[in-house]
Amino acid sequence: MDIILLGPPGAGKGTQAERLVTNRGMVQLSTGDMLRAAVAEGSAVGREAKAVMDSGALVSDAIVSALIGENLDRIETRGAIFDGFPRTLPQAEALDLLLAERGRKLAHVIELEVDEEALVERIGGRFSCGTCGAPYHDRFKLPKVDDQCDVCGGHAFRRRDDDNEQTVRRRLAEYHAKTQPILPFYAERGILRPVDGMASVETVAAAIDSILDG
Ligand code: AMP
């Protein structure tokens, strides 16, 4: 079963995706993670993407669609969770094509609805394990043992360069201008499932579970 997690930055897409990976053996395909890996490697794509990402603007449709295509081939029959992709109508159309070519089809588009001021606070406090990527937050989710990752026991943590207020506001503006217009595309198809993203992580997770099992 392939699904999209849709919502503005900080809505909780990565947190919910991580849970679905652990509990259901699905595969998270995050274009943000792929781009950050490309930046870290210093590849041509990474060099092109870095400045765009730091500004909070969107990387080109061609680059992110190609990244998704490459990674889709690796996951075989496991269900995909598209996280942070698609973000524009051309990307949504590209995804339809990429899936159809592989005999796959979207089952659900889960839209995490959130209050925007809360997002700035959520994003400002977040950090993750430098080893396994497990997500944390200064206020909402600190590691159980100080300075030690709950998941892998790692001791190195990192914060994203683009998680500052100015860039977050730009990312939100991009979401409104370019990503929200794809909601009707999926609503018309009858696969858009809005979920209250302001509820607790567990409540959101339960809502997603009932959609996937329903
Ligand atoms: P994310 O980790 O999903 O918040 O993405 C971080 C940044 O990577 C975004 O602000 C964009 O600059 C870029 N990015 C990630 N996914 C996409 C996408 N599907 N289309 C365009 N740019 C993207």
Side-chain angles (χ1 to χ4, degrees):
M1 181 190 293
D2 294 332
I3 67 168
I4 297 176
L5 290 180
L6 205 72
K13 301 185 295 289
T15 300
Q16 295 300 331
E18 186 202 29
R19 221 187 118 267
L20 294 171
V21 169
T22 307
N23 294 352
R24 292 177 184 254
M26 297 176 78
V27 182
Q28 177 188 14
L29 295 179
S30 156
T31 40
D33 286 348
M34 294 171 199
L35 289 166
R36 280 183 287 280
V39 169
E41 270 167 28
S43 69
V45 164
R47 288 197 299 276
E48 190 177 333
K50 169 79 176 141
V52 178
M53 293 170 76
D54 284 348
S55 75
L58 294 186
V59 173
S60 80
D61 291 335
I63 286 182
V64 292
S65 301
L67 285 173
I68 286 287
E70 287 162 20
N71 283 277
L72 254 183
D73 287 327
R74 296 206 199 119
I75 69 169
E76 298 173 348
T77 57
R78 288 184 293 165
I81 307 158
F82 297 99
D83 162 9
F85 179 92
R87 266 175 154 97
T88 66
L89 205 48
Q91 289 178 25
E93 287 162 351
L95 179 60
D96 274 350
L97 208 64
L98 287 168
L99 291 174
E101 283 167 358
R102 291 160 178 81
R104 311 177 74 112
K105 196 164 156 240
L106 282 172
H108 307 285
V109 178
I110 295 169
E111 181 200 359
L112 297 176
E113 297 178 311
V114 282
D115 170 80
E116 302 229 333
E117 282 312 306
L119 291 183
V120 178
E121 186 191 17
R122 277 192 189 183
I123 294 180
R126 70 185 184 179
F127 61 100
S128 63
C129 173
T131 309
C132 75
Y136 295 97
H137 194 280
D138 292 327
R139 279 192 53 202
F140 309 121
K141 194 190 172 204
L142 284 166
K144 293 194 182 87
V145 178
D146 209 20
D147 260 353
Q148 181 178 308
C149 175
D150 298 347
V151 179
C152 76
H155 295 288
F157 294 90
R158 62 173 178 231
R159 285 175 199 267
R160 285 170 46 169
D161 290 343
D162 61 349
D163 278 350
N164 60 74
E165 178 162 352
Q166 193 189 355
T167 308
V168 170
R169 300 232 178 250
R170 172 82 189 267
R171 286 157 66 198
L172 285 172
E174 291 283 66
Y175 181 78
H176 290 306
K178 295 176 184 155
T179 308
Q180 265 182 338
I182 70 181
L183 295 175
F185 180 80
Y186 293 121
E188 277 161 26
R189 224 188 274 177
I191 56 171
L192 185 66
R193 326 269 183 234
V195 166
D196 174 12
M198 295 309 293
S200 69
V201 171
E202 293 72 26
T203 306
V204 175
I208 293 176
D209 280 341
S210 75
I211 290 167
L212 300 196
D213 295 332

